[in-house]
Amino acid sequence: MSRTGFQLPLLPGRSPSEPPDTQDRTRALEAKGASEQVGARVRRLFGGSFHLRHVDAGSCNACESELKALANPYYDLHRLGIFIEPSPRHADGLIVTGPITLPMREPLLRTYEAMPEPRLVIAVGTCACTGGIFAGSELVAGPLERLLPVDVYIPGCPPSPLTLLHGLLLALGRVEEARR
Amino acid sequence: MTGILLPAILGLDVVAIAIALGVRPPLGRRVALGLLAIGGILAATLGGFVLAGSGGPGFVLDTGLPTGALHVSVDPLGALFLILAGLLTAAAAVYADGYLAHTDAGVVRAHVAVFALLVAAIVSVLVAADGVAFLFAWEVLAWSAYLAVILDIDDPRVGRAAFLMLAVSELGTAALLAAFVVLGANGFTFPAMIARGEALDEPVRSLVFWALVLGFGAKAGIMPLQLWLPEAHPAAPSHVSALLSAIIVELGLYGIVRFAFAALPTPEIWWGPALTALGAVTAAVAILWALLQNDIKRVLAYSTIENVGLIVAALGLSETFRAAGLAVLAALALVAALYHVSTHAFGKGVLFLAAGSVDHGTGTRDLDRLGGLTRPMPVTSVAMLLGVLSVAAIAPFAGFLSEWMILETFLQSPAVPLLGSRLVLVAAGAVLALTAATAVLAFARLFATGFVGRPRSRGAHDAVEAPRSMRFGMALLLGPLLAIGVLPALALPLVDRAAAGVVGPSVAMQLIPPLFGNAGPYAALVAIGGATFRGLLPGNGLVIIPAPGLSTIVSPTYLVLFEAGFVVLTALGVRAIRRLGRDRRAPAWGGGMSWRHPAAQYTATAYANPLRLIFAALFRSKALLSVPDPAASGGSGALEYEQQAPPPLERELYAPLLRSVSWFADKFKVLQSGDTNAYVGYILLVVVLIVLLRVL
């Protein structure tokens, strides 16, 4: 097995000898490539340990579902040295989902305040990026860019795990840029 | 000079009684308490003079009593207690002015007069130089303490608590009376009593010793007579609780040293170990129960029992060493015990005064309803913190060295030849070490839940700092508390002088090696800086060696320097590190929540819970949860939760005793039928019995 440990999935109703279809193969290779790049950057920039704090600021939980998929064995985020952290004190970056409802505004700002610098802010999903269908509602304080300096926008309703991986790659790229 | 001081002190107290009764408050209260404070300072001065070596005053009052003249004098042992009593009275009297400001005028008049009588009684006990004068003063002390506790005359619980205190005290006096009658067969002057004690034979000697321990132990709170302390201390007004805990309880220990030790110079070998075991059990049980209490004053009262246990254990150790012929070790143990009496007196005095000002400022003493007091009550909080640090024996505060010295003398117990005594001493030492550690827990709990955090009730939220006189009273005790903590080498020679001659020689030179002078065998200590401040400070040196040889060396004075140095270094280091990077202050992370209910804070009950579960077999605590019937209360009733852990002796000894007494009374009630014919029958029966006895 290769160093990245990536193997094609065994889908139901298909015997292991049968070749998987082209779409799966393409996606798998894409995921593999992205993962390898993310992993390399995490190792280079963060010594192999990149911690993120996630705040659900009124999301419908679709984004959470996709974020969680990043941790499953298919993508296996931890293998790359990326961890979702319970305490903002230990986090390098903040992932925000949802349109920032009014009750979640204060906790979100407190979380950001509690993070050490430098800190990345990643808006995940249409709601966090633009407000989505809630944009302009008097009950939301978002979109996120009105409250915090956003480094990376990851659009999608919800964004797929692969999109999220690309977003993380982008975020790490910004760190690399800043370091130069 | 000293000849005038003693009449002056007692005279001031008498004038204070007259003024308190005769002049209306607030003027009468203020003047009377002021006179008491001056009297206290004079008493401390007198004690200081006597300990410094000038001869104490001596009087003989011929009263025409059949027991002979009353003798009054001040010796070094009494002088040490006179210093403690004087300073504590002064602080308590100043404090009482603010504390009583809002009490009903008539009650205050009587209370201040009784308080002055109590103070006069304390001084009299310490200057009495014969058995009759001592017992007389002792009884006045018991009764005036009983009256002084009852300030809140409307609360029946206060009356019951005070009565319990008096009852236990009278039980003790009965035992004392028996012992004194035996000792005073050839006259009641102290030399006569000592001579008689030396001449006593075995069974009587032991009986006298244990009657004295029982009698004075009732005042000191040694098990099984400790039961009045946790009741009377919370019931009493705080200036009285401070005197109770810091002086009156210690007078019991004074009595043990003065009579049980000095009057019986050749102890049996089993007295010491038995006393030590009693003290160790008292200390261990009391500190465990201190941990469960939520009333600040109850915590302090149990801690007082614990400290008394510790001191009694050290006294037992001294007696054991004396019985084994190890006079120097006996003297060291006695010095350690008396030094702990001193540090505990100042520490507990401060704590009770601070507890009173918490009660005054918030209206509650329940730890689960307090919190967040450091900001509204800064002076009280600082006083409480310093008292807590001292009583919990944290270096370099006063209680640390005294407790250290006691444990250190316990480590010398292998010198005792008898195996049985050695085993008891080693076990007691281990129990006392555990007790000391638990005390830290109990006091951390007291300060952490009572003073820091956020207020848990409206009273704590609206807390106000104590008035000026109360703050001044607390500050008056903080001075000596900090001084003897930082400069014990200057205080210990005084304690040594008080102890010298009771069980052994003076040990000042051994305890504090002469590093400032000719260091001799201790030259190595001088080489590592043990003579710093030579020439600046009087005395032998600042290093204390609590046990023979160089087993341990401790110097709180130099420790303070080091601690201050570390604080400064840390502060400089933090500044230097700050300068390296950008610095941003962020609030504490609370899970993103902006508001938390203060009741969600860690409570005193919760803090004690792990220990309550570990020692469940001992505590046998019960948790009562009452759920109101939703139908009856309309579905809005509050849940009530209560924890009970009755102290072991009350549970195992006194409750069955009371039950059996009332069972007997119930049975005898049959005789009291109220029928006249029956009573005439009884009389006839008795007459017949007498006639029969006469005839036979």
Side-chain angles (χ1 to χ4, degrees), chain B residues 676-689:
Chain B
T676 320
N677 290 346
Y679 290 145
V680 173
Y682 297 154
I683 294 170
L684 186 67
L685 207 64
V686 171
V687 170
V688 170
L689 269 176

Side-chain angles (χ1 to χ4, degrees), chain A residues 21-96:
Chain A
D21 66 41
T22 333
Q23 203 187 351
D24 276 359
R25 179 184 286 275
T26 316
R27 196 186 300 153
L29 283 175
E30 210 177 331
K32 183 183 178 184
S35 303
E36 275 172 356
Q37 289 186 50
V38 169
R41 282 189 180 172
V42 167
R43 274 196 300 281
R44 197 164 62 240
L45 298 170
F46 290 94
S49 154
F50 180 50
H51 291 249
L52 294 166
R53 163 80 204 196
H54 167 226
V55 171
D56 172 350
S59 153
C60 68
N61 284 156
C63 291
E64 275 68 29
S65 179
E66 300 302 310
L67 271 173
K68 201 151 168 45
L70 274 183
N72 67 21
Y74 193 101
Y75 297 98
D76 204 4
L77 205 64
H78 300 161
R79 163 186 61 111
L80 306 174
I82 300 177
F83 303 92
I84 305 288
E85 185 66 37
S87 165
R89 290 271 195 251
H90 302 158
D92 304 300
L94 177 65
I95 295 178
V96 183

Side-chain angles (χ1 to χ4, degrees), chain B residues 50-263:
Chain B
V50 173
L51 277 187
S54 67
F59 300 100
V60 180
L61 303 174
D62 204 352
T63 52
L65 287 173
T67 49
L70 295 179
H71 295 71
V72 174
S73 76
V74 184
D75 67 351
L77 181 61
L80 175 69
F81 282 82
L82 215 50
I83 294 180
L84 302 179
L87 290 176
L88 272 149
T89 338
V94 171
Y95 177 94
D97 183 53
Y99 194 82
L100 296 171
H102 302 292
T103 313
D104 177 55
V107 176
V108 166
R109 273 183 170 187
H111 176 75
V112 172
V114 166
F115 186 64
L117 184 64
L118 176 66
V119 170
I122 292 172
V123 175
S124 309
V125 164
L126 292 172
V127 302
D130 70 70
V132 177
F134 182 89
L135 271 187
F136 182 71
W138 190 255
E139 272 308 274
V140 176
L141 176 74
W143 282 89
S144 54
Y146 164 69
L147 292 172
V149 166
I150 314 176
L151 172 68
D152 189 358
I153 44 175
D154 297 324
D155 190 345
R157 280 172 307 174
V158 170
R160 280 175 60 99
F163 187 74
L164 179 65
M165 178 175 93
L166 185 65
V168 173
S169 179
E170 290 307 304
L171 190 69
T173 308
L176 286 188
L177 210 55
F180 273 46
V181 165
V182 175
L183 284 176
N186 302 331
F188 283 97
T189 57
F190 284 172
M193 287 171 80
I194 293 172
R196 173 78 180 144
E198 263 173 290
L200 283 176
D201 287 332
E202 193 8 54
V204 184
R205 221 150 56 93
S206 289
L207 280 177
V208 167
F209 179 82
W210 288 102
L212 288 170
V213 169
L214 179 79
F216 289 118
K219 203 53 127 189
I222 305 175
M223 282 234 247
L225 294 174
Q226 89 300 357
L227 76 168
W228 63 273
L229 275 117
E231 303 304 322
H233 281 78
S238 287
H239 51 283
V240 178
S241 333
L243 278 196
L244 271 183
S245 192
I247 288 302
I248 298 179
V249 161
E250 269 73 357
L251 286 183
L253 302 168
Y254 166 80
I256 290 180
V257 175
R258 163 77 76 203
F259 293 100
F261 279 25

Side-chain angles (χ1 to χ4, degrees), chain A residues 111-136:
Chain A
T111 310
Y112 181 72
E113 185 61 25
M115 287 170 63
E117 289 169 12
R119 44 197 167 171
L120 282 167
V121 178
I122 304 169
V124 168
T126 306
C127 294
C129 293
T130 67
I133 58 169
F134 304 104

